[in-house]
Amino acid sequence: MTLLRTAPPTALFGLLVLAATLVLGLFAPLIAPYGETEIVGGEYLPWSAEHPLGTDNLGRDMLSRMIYGARNTVGLALLTTGIAFSIGAALGMFAALRGGWIDQALSRAVDVIMAVPPLILALMLLAIVGPSIPNMVGVIAVIYLAPVYRLSRAAAMNVVALDFIGAAQLRGEGTIWLLRREILPNISSTLVAEAGLRFCFVFLFIAALSFLGIGIQPPTADWGSMVKENATLITFGDVTPLIPAGAIALLTVSINFIVDWMLHRASGLKS
Amino acid sequence: MGNLLTIRDLRLEAGSRSAPTVILEGLDLDLDRGEVLGLVGESGAGKSSAGLAAMGFVRDGVRIAGGRIDFDGTDLARAPQRTLRRLHGRRIAYVAQSAAASFNPAHRLIDQFAEGPILHGTADAATAQADARALYRQMQLPDPDEIGFRYPHEVSGGQLQRAMTAMAMACRPDLIIFDEPTTALDVTTQIEVLGAMRDITERFGTAAIYITHDLAVVSQMADRITVMRHGREVETAPTRRMLDAPQQDYTRSLWAVRSIRKPEATGPAEPVLTLDGVSAHYRDFKALDDISFGLCRGRTTAVVGESGSGKSTLAKVIAGLMPPGAGRVAWDGTPLAGHHDRRTKDQLRQVQMIYQMADTALNPRHTVRETLDRPVAFFTGLSGKARRARVRELMELIELDPDAFLDRRIPELSGGQKQRIGIARALAAEPRFIICDEITSALDQIVAEGILKLLIRLQRDLGLTYMFITHDLATVEAIADEVVVMKEGRIVESGPRAQIFDAPRQAYTRRLLASVPQMDAGWLDRARRDAARARSAETAA
């Protein structure tokens, strides 16, 4: 609780938005006035008491789809970030600890992933494995595993050089103990801060893929494809398609506020 | 002439205004033109803060809460930044402890030298560069005309420290603050740097504040000494009087630190660990060259040498962190594998290591309990109540209260306490042999003395064998039974302590011994003369 009291207003704002999004996502069926794919009226209805944000290109309620979208987009982004981090961080620390050819092999493999622009790589891999949600999660996790690996390897390199690692090795400790008990606690603050940032990227990436039509498939609601489906409305001076885009922006900014605060705390700077 | 610097009733605070931490309290200092004042004390005594305050500068988070800092008519405690910027570098200069960290690695030395004079308008670039060469020559730097065109990483630590002193002199300041400028240097290098610093301040009549924890050094440099403790002045007196007749108990205890002597070893000397023709390489660099000697059971063998002599590599080879290129290491007659992965658990248990930097040798994310609990569990297999009891017993062995310390995190400990935990971790394995790698060099003399006494007691009680790596001969004299002198990866000389200290056979050993700072008045001049002579003798031989 004291942690929250010392948080700056920007971080509190970020936490509030994140909490609201999570609540909306978790309890979407209870909160949303209509169903996710339910056609409730005419196409492109303007804002009204019945449909606070109007309806979309197929006559579905925009507000309800926004609420369900939070569930799909944010949930998948969390899952993907989680996978990318657990594998990337473990491999990075392992490479830093072992060095030699293991480090070389892993690092060059990661370089290959990083050498191709992420969106193109994703399009290519999804074209091979086919656009389904598990495939998309897997592909994005592989792509984002690379920067996480690089970060955790670099951070772990600094720790591995310290004498307490030598002391544990001289004791005869195994790899798992070294990674989990000696290295991880010393780089966890860096990783947590990075995870927040990476979550934003993953989230935007999913939105981008959905916008391109190979991410989350219709009729599932997600913020990225909602922008795409209703984009034509902008030409008529209607702001509705900007609302999912705005939600993406708001969540991204909020998470960055939280991350800034965490980085600040991790760096040990006072005030 | 009036005082150059007068500090009156200075109070520095850190932290919140309602409950501040006091850094300095009621400090008075006076400094005449051309006078050298020594500031002495343990770490945390506030001597560095006092030195910085003499420039009107405080570290981040620290504020001047009261008092005056009067520098030649200007009150630096209240002067605006603009005034301070005009004084810094021009009339007040600063020489930091680590020259390597203070130079910008991306620029040549001479360009960094010229920055001050150009900024303050005392010289143009060409004049400043000519002046730099002249000062480099006076600082006795090798090749003074060319050395300025090198980058900081291309010159040695001692040379860098002299280049930094030359840089501080660039605008001919009235006052120089020396903040532990030789602490990071080898004893033989230290003499050259100290000598050059003293010559140049005398030549230009520059006043100086010399901050150090080494009494012998300060007695060579300062006209007057102020002893500080807990942010307050303990005692101030002219150097001679301070050394001969200190008034305060605390000062006397500082003076008495160098007096520990371990009793002579008795009984037969049977080697427990033997090295036979050990060599080791870092790529093309030969760090150890055909090293053979034995370490005797229950005794302390000190390995002495300057940095780069291979003594830490020797520790790594014995511990199994670095496999030797040739030769073998044997424990009780059984050869040890080169790499620790291939040693048995019992062999790992027998040989433990204590590290120089306790800060990096202990995992900062662990508590004291976690740090000790793991090796106890790992090596003894104890569990539950017996393990907890053993951890407490270890704490008692190293003279720290288990109730007060077991649940603290490592960063909450002082340097000396951390080093004690490092010792406890080594003892947790119930070893027979402990390698101590420069374990007191990062500590104050008083704290270091406590650690040495502890090690001597543990050796007596537990029958431990030590290999003690150090560059500090005062420490060697205090605790060693046998001494091995190393230079450039080879053994120069070895033998019992008395033989090495009283009748050294090699010129290098004699030079090393003569380099240990002494408190008597003429030591520095004598040592510089001897060093010059010894060096020419070594080259002749």
Side-chain angles (χ1 to χ4, degrees), chain B residues 278-283 285-290 313 317 322-326:
Chain B
V278 170
S279 300
H281 301 256
Y282 292 104
R283 298 182 198 280
F285 176 70
K286 199 161 208 180
L288 290 179
D289 189 4
D290 194 20
T313 311
V317 167
M322 181 174 168

Side-chain angles (χ1 to χ4, degrees), chain B residues 403-414:
Chain B
D403 295 314
F405 285 97
L406 274 177
D407 291 312
R408 287 210 209 167
R409 293 199 164 271
I410 298 296
E412 296 168 42
L413 304 177
S414 73

Side-chain angles (χ1 to χ4, degrees), chain A residues 159 161-174 177 180-189 266, chain B residues 319-321 340-341 345 348 352-353 355-357 359-366 370-371 374-375 378-379 425:
Chain A
V159 178
L162 299 177
D163 289 334
F164 61 80
I165 301 292
Q169 282 175 328
L170 282 185
R171 194 157 69 220
E173 296 284 6
W177 172 277
R180 226 171 64 76
R181 303 302 293 273
E182 304 286 348
I183 301 177
L184 185 60
N186 285 292
I187 65 169
S188 58
S189 56
Chain B
L321 283 173
H340 62 82
D341 272 358
K345 194 167 170 180
L348 289 175
Q352 289 293 311
M353 190 150 163
Y355 299 81
Q356 173 174 15
M357 305 300 290
D359 280 325
T360 61
L362 304 174
N363 193 332
R365 294 285 162 157
H366 290 174
E370 287 167 319
T371 307
R374 179 64 183 178
F378 197 86
F379 285 118
R425 183 177 62 185

Side-chain angles (χ1 to χ4, degrees), chain B residues 515-527:
Chain B
S515 306
V516 180
Q518 305 291 328
M519 298 233 229
D520 57 336
W523 167 77
L524 183 58
D525 302 307
R526 217 170 50 237

Side-chain angles (χ1 to χ4, degrees), chain B residues 101-138:
Chain B
S102 304
F103 272 106
N104 185 333
H107 298 285
R108 296 169 203 275
L109 296 178
I110 205 158
D111 296 333
Q112 302 192 48
F113 178 98
E115 244 168 51
I118 294 172
L119 182 73
H120 290 289
T122 58
D124 57 41
T127 328
Q129 295 207 352
D131 186 42
R133 294 196 189 99
L135 284 173
Y136 290 154
R137 183 161 289 121
Q138 282 166 32

Side-chain angles (χ1 to χ4, degrees), chain B residues 255-312:
Chain B
W255 267 225
V257 160
R258 285 162 168 267
S259 58
I260 336 173
R261 285 292 175 274
K262 187 185 164 208
E264 290 279 334
T266 49
E270 39 171 330
V272 61
L273 187 97
T274 47
L275 289 98
D276 191 14
V278 170
S279 300
H281 301 256
Y282 292 104
R283 298 182 198 280
D284 293 335
F285 176 70
K286 199 161 208 180
L288 290 179
D289 189 4
D290 194 20
I291 299 284
S292 304
F293 71 99
L295 291 131
C296 298
R297 193 186 307 282
R299 298 204 179 175
T300 303
T301 304
V303 177
V304 202
E306 297 176 76
S307 42
S309 61
K311 52 195 196 305
S312 285

